[in-house]
Amino acid sequence: MLASRRKWITYIVLSAVGLFFYLLGSSPDTSAGGYSNLSTPPEKIEFQWEKYDEKYPVEWMVSLPLHPIKKLPKIQYGFPEEFFKVLLPKQKMRQEAVKESFLRAWKTYKEYAWMHDEVTPLTRVPLDSFGGWAATLVDSLDTLWIMDLKDEFQEAVLAVSKIDFRNTEAKEINVFETTIRYLGGLLSAYDLSGEQILLDKATELGNILYVAFDTPNRMPVTRWNIHSTFMGLSQEANSFCLLAEIGSLTMEFTRLSQLTGDPKWHDAVDRIMEAFSQQQKGTRLPGMFPVVVNARAKNFQGRVDTFSLGAMSDSFYEYLPKMHALLGGVDQKYGKMYRYAMDVAKKHILYRPMVPDNANILISGKVTAYSETDIGLNPEGQHLVCFAGGMFALGSKLFDIPEHMDIAHMLTDGCTWSYKATRSGMMPEVFHMVPCPTKEPCEWDEGKFHEAVVTAHFFDKNDDQDNSPQGIIDRERLPLGIRSMQDRRYILRPEAIESVFVLYRTTGRMDLLDKAWEMFAAIEGVTKTAYGNAGLDDVTIAREAVAAGDAPLSDRMESFWLAETLKYFYLMFSDPNLISLDEYVLNTEAHPFKRAG
Ligand code: DMJ
C-alpha cells in the first residue's frame, strides 16, 4: 500500500518535472522549436570567437585515434544479383515520388524563406527557430546531393558561404540542435562533395561551439546564453541537463577533428564520455543513465530517476555504436558502454504489448527506478523512440550479437504496427499500451484491454459522456491495443522509417519495401500541402476526412522532414550501394559521415 502510494507520488513529481522541462521548451524533442526565446525581442550580436580569451583552457588533450584496430564486421546485407535485376527497378517510381515531395518543399523554401530556418507549409512564411542560420538549407545539403540535385546543391553551397555563424538574433543557443543539424549537415555535405567551403564553415561553427565548453569542469553549457559569454561573463555547465543534449555531441565533434586534424573537438567530447563511462555502474538503474543529469557537478548518476531510450535520452544511446563505427573500433569504451546499457534496456525498458492480432512486436517504454530492485514500467510508446530498432540492428552487426537482430525486427515491427493501427496510417507522438506479463507472447484479452482503457481515462470522466469502455474507445478513436493517447500528433518525424531503412539494409528483408511505401503513401496522402508537408494534429482522423479537406494540419515543417524523413524514404528505394552503411555512419539527423578504415 505504502509502496504504491510512493509510486504515485513519484509519478506525480516526475510528471511535474517533465512538464517543467516541456514548458521551458527544453526537450530535445525539437517540435517546440529548440530555442526557448522565440518571443523575446531579437538582439543582434556578433560573436568574435577569435578574440575570445579562454577562462578554463585544457592542460592536456587526448589525441585523436587514427587507425582502426581491426576491420569491423560487414554491416549491409549482400543483396543478390536477382534483386538488382528484378526488385530494384520496381522501386524507381516510388523513389521519384519521394523526390517530388522533397522538391515541392525545397522550391517553397527557396522562394519564400531562403536563408531562414524554415518555411511554413500552409502560409509560406519564413520562421527562424534555430538561430536564424538557414537551418533548412544546411540540413538539406546532403539530401540534395544524394537525390542528385547537383545544380540546387551548388546554389545552396554558395549560399552557405554567406552564413555568418558569428551573428545571431537568438538569445540562447541549443548546442545539441546546432551540432546535429548545422555542424552535422556541413560535415556530411563535405564528406560527400569535397567542397572546401563546407569544411571551412564547419570549422568556423566548431570554433564557436567550442566556447560553450569553457567551463570550470569542461562540461559544455547545453542551453547557451551566447550574449553573456560574449560580454566576458564566466559560465558553468547546466545543473539540469538532458542526457541526449550532453551525451550526443560526439560524432560531429569527432568528425570535425578527423577532417581538420585538430584534436581539440574530439578531446572536448571525449571528456564527457569518459565521465559517463566511469559512472555507468552507479545509477539507480546501473547500465543506463537518467533522462536528466547534472553537468555542473559532473554527476551523471541521478536527479530524476526516469530511464528511457526515447525523448531526452535517445541519441545518447544511438551514438555509442555509431562512435564505435566512426572511430573504426579504436576506442573500446563505446562498445562496452553499449553492451552494458542494452542488456539493461532489454531487461527493463522493452516490453511486449497485448495486441488484437497477436503480432510479434516489442515496444520501448520508460521505467522509474525507485530502488535497484523496485523498477516500475511505464508502458508508453513514442515516435521518437522508433529509432531503436535501427540501433539494435546496427549494434547486432557491429558487435556480433545475433540476438539483438531479433529485437531489431520486433521493435521496428512495433513501430510499423503503430502506423497501421491508426485511421490516418501514422503513428502518434506518445501513447500507452497494455503490457503482456512477460516478453513472451500473450493472448489478446478484450476484457483486460477495456479495464485498462477505463483506468487510463479515470480522470477524464464526465457524467455527460458515455464512460463505458466502448464509449471511451469510440470517443477517443482508440485503435484496439492502444489504451490511451497522450499526444496525437504526427509532426513529420523520421524515426520509424529510419529503423525500417537500417533493418532493410542490414537484413535484406524485402517486405520492408512495401511497408515503407505504405508509410510514405499515408504520410504524403495526409500531410501534403501545395507548398510542402504539414504536421498532422491528430492521427486518429480517418483518411476519408482528410480527403474531404478536413485534416487538422499545423503550419510547421521542421528541417528534419527534408534532412531525415525524405532522405530515409529515398534511400529505402535506391540502390543499396548509395550511402552504404559499410562506408558511412549517419548522425542522429541522418547526415552520413565517412567511416574510418
Ligand atoms: C531529429 O532532430 C533528431 O533525430 C533528434 O535526435 C531527435 N528528433 C528529431 C526528429 O524527430
Side-chain angles (χ1 to χ4, degrees):
M1 178 69 186
L2 242 182
S4 89
R5 239 180 61 200
R6 195 157 46 90
K7 279 183 190 173
W8 269 106
I9 293 168
T10 315
Y11 179 76
I12 290 164
V13 171
L14 292 181
S15 307
V17 172
L19 186 68
F20 170 74
F21 275 99
Y22 180 78
L23 292 175
L24 261 182
S26 65
S27 154
D29 158 3
T30 53
S31 57
Y35 289 86
S36 53
N37 64 320
L38 282 175
S39 56
T40 57
E43 188 183 332
K44 206 159 181 135
I45 61 149
E46 181 166 305
F47 180 67
Q48 291 177 312
W49 63 269
E50 303 91 330
K51 294 191 189 150
Y52 179 79
D53 245 344
E54 272 199 308
K55 294 187 177 52
Y56 308 100
V58 297
E59 280 161 15
W60 51 269
M61 264 188 210
V62 69
S63 57
L64 181 66
L66 284 179
H67 302 292
I69 36 169
K70 59 175 184 192
K71 214 169 155 35
L72 293 178
K74 194 165 157 35
I75 303 293
Q76 285 217 154
Y77 172 74
F79 288 83
E81 239 170 64
E82 194 60 12
F83 162 82
F84 289 92
K85 277 197 213 130
V86 183
L87 258 188
L88 186 58
K90 290 192 183 146
Q91 310 311 313
K92 192 79 199 142
M93 271 170 61
R94 294 173 167 181
Q95 199 192 36
E96 282 304 315
V98 177
K99 191 169 173 179
E100 214 179 286
S101 180
F102 176 89
L103 274 171
R104 191 175 62 248
W106 181 252
K107 277 184 188 142
T108 311
Y109 172 70
K110 225 167 102 177
E111 196 171 342
Y112 298 96
W114 193 241
M115 301 309 276
H116 289 277
D117 286 343
E118 292 168 26
V119 66
T120 57
L122 296 171
T123 50
R124 290 168 286 164
V125 170
L127 186 68
D128 282 324
S129 40
F130 289 96
W133 295 312
T136 292
L137 177 92
V138 180
D139 227 5
S140 305
L141 286 167
D142 53 6
T143 314
L144 288 168
W145 182 271
I146 289 167
M147 291 188 174
D148 203 22
L149 296 165
K150 296 289 160 35
D151 291 346
E152 286 82 352
F153 178 79
Q154 290 308 338
E155 190 184 11
V157 170
L158 203 68
V160 166
S161 68
K162 298 193 183 103
I163 299 173
D164 186 358
F165 287 112
R166 292 171 307 178
N167 265 314
T168 180
E169 291 179 357
K171 200 175 101 199
E172 186 185 82
I173 299 294
N174 183 322
V175 170
F176 164 78
E177 295 292 353
T178 308
T179 300
I180 65 166
R181 299 192 194 214
Y182 288 105
L183 190 55
L186 292 167
L187 290 169
S188 148
Y190 173 75
D191 260 343
L192 293 170
S193 69
E195 288 283 351
Q196 185 58 37
I197 182 68
L198 297 171
L199 184 56
D200 294 347
K201 278 293 173 188
T203 311
E204 176 188 322
L205 178 58
N207 278 320
I208 293 168
L209 291 174
Y210 191 69
V211 178
F213 289 72
D214 189 24
T215 63
N217 63 4
R218 295 299 303 180
M219 293 298 106
V221 189
T222 47
R223 299 302 171 111
W224 188 29
N225 187 333
I226 197 165
H227 295 243
S228 50
T229 308
F230 181 53
M231 279 158 54
L233 301 179
S234 50
Q235 55 185 14
E236 281 190 86
N238 309 78
S239 46
F240 279 89
C241 184
L242 302 183
L243 178 59
E245 289 195 357
I246 188 155
S248 17
L249 305 168
T250 41
M251 287 186 70
E252 298 77 8
F253 277 61
T254 296
R255 188 68 193 135
L256 184 56
S257 284
Q258 287 176 332
L259 288 170
T260 56
D262 184 341
K264 74 176 184 187
W265 293 287
H266 175 68
D267 168 79
V269 289
D270 189 65
R271 285 164 194 270
I272 303 174
M273 296 316 289
E274 272 300 325
F276 270 111
S277 101
Q278 280 158 25
Q279 297 181 38
Q280 196 175 10
K281 276 193 193 125
T283 69
R284 278 263 180 99
L285 187 65
M288 292 187 70
F289 293 93
V291 294
V292 179
V293 294
N294 184 348
R296 183 167 299 179
K298 217 182 184 176
N299 175 359
F300 299 141
Q301 293 179 326
R303 265 283 190 174
V304 179
D305 294 315
T306 301
F307 298 81
S308 149
L309 295 177
M312 301 185 268
S313 300
D314 42 14
S315 42
F316 171 84
Y317 298 104
E318 176 191 349
Y319 273 20
L320 298 174
K322 289 187 170 180
M323 273 301 281
H324 183 82
L326 185 67
L327 287 169
V330 177
D331 192 336
Q332 300 291 301
K333 71 173 165 289
Y334 291 103
K336 237 169 114 186
M337 286 176 81
Y338 178 73
R339 283 169 182 274
Y340 189 6
M342 288 314 116
D343 279 349
V344 177
K346 202 178 82 188
K347 190 159 167 209
H348 295 289
I349 305 271
L350 310 186
Y351 70 94
R352 185 185 280 270
M354 182 180 77
V355 283
D357 56 356
N358 295 322
N360 187 24
I361 58 176
L362 283 176
I363 300 286
S364 186
K366 244 185 199 168
V367 304
T368 304
Y370 304 98
S371 73
E372 259 195 51
T373 47
D374 188 3
I375 296 162
L377 172 72
N378 174 354
E380 194 186 70
Q382 294 177 0
H383 198 290
L384 273 166
V385 84
C386 277
F387 81 94
M391 174 181 71
F392 271 97
L394 183 69
S396 161
K397 290 275 181 145
L398 271 178
F399 304 118
D400 190 20
I401 321 174
E403 184 211 344
H404 279 197
M405 196 53 94
D406 300 336
I407 296 176
H409 284 284
M410 286 193 271
L411 281 173
T412 307
D413 291 344
C415 293
T416 55
W417 183 94
S418 314
Y419 265 68
K420 256 203 127 137
T422 70
R423 298 186 193 189
S424 63
M426 269 160 278
M427 179 180 181
E429 273 281 277
V430 184
F431 56 95
H432 280 80
M433 302 183 84
V434 182
C436 289
T438 68
K439 285 192 186 54
E440 292 309 311
C442 66
E443 279 298 310
W444 173 249
D445 177 339
E446 187 124 319
K448 207 168 163 192
F449 177 66
H450 282 174
E451 223 173 85
V453 168
V454 171
T455 312
H457 294 83
F458 181 75
F459 292 109
D460 314 332
K461 254 194 190 160
N462 177 339
D463 289 341
D464 301 336
Q465 292 172 336
D466 176 359
N467 294 311
S468 70
Q470 200 52 51
I472 300 172
I473 291 170
D474 293 344
R475 187 168 60 248
E476 299 287 320
R477 296 186 293 277
L478 292 174
L480 285 187
I482 294 186
R483 74 171 197 208
S484 58
M485 276 191 202
Q486 282 59 40
D487 188 342
R488 295 168 173 261
R489 293 172 305 152
Y490 169 68
I491 60 161
L492 308 175
R493 284 198 191 281
E495 292 78 13
I497 185 59
E498 170 180 347
S499 282
V500 169
F501 162 75
V502 179
L503 190 63
Y504 165 70
R505 285 287 185 95
T506 48
T507 64
R509 227 182 91 182
M510 296 300 164
D511 67 303
L512 293 173
L513 285 167
D514 290 344
K515 286 220 161 92
W517 178 246
E518 262 175 50
M519 287 163 73
F520 179 76
I523 297 171
E524 186 73 348
V526 174
T527 68
K528 179 179 173 180
T529 73
Y531 312 109
N533 289 70
L536 177 67
D537 286 342
D538 187 348
V539 295
T540 66
I541 299 295
R543 289 185 217 192
E544 300 74 59
V546 173
D550 276 347
L553 296 177
S554 65
D555 199 12
R556 189 90 197 264
M557 180 175 64
E558 280 213 43
S559 63
F560 54 65
W561 169 245
L562 292 102
E564 296 193 68
T565 316
L566 289 176
K567 185 190 287 149
Y568 283 125
F569 275 120
Y570 184 86
L571 286 175
M572 190 72 209
F573 305 125
S574 73
D575 184 324
N577 294 311
L578 181 63
I579 313 293
S580 159
L581 299 181
D582 289 308
E583 281 172 63
Y584 292 93
V585 55
L586 280 69
N587 88 337
T588 190
E589 190 74 5
H591 295 307
F593 295 167
K594 272 230 170 80
R595 289 174 48 183

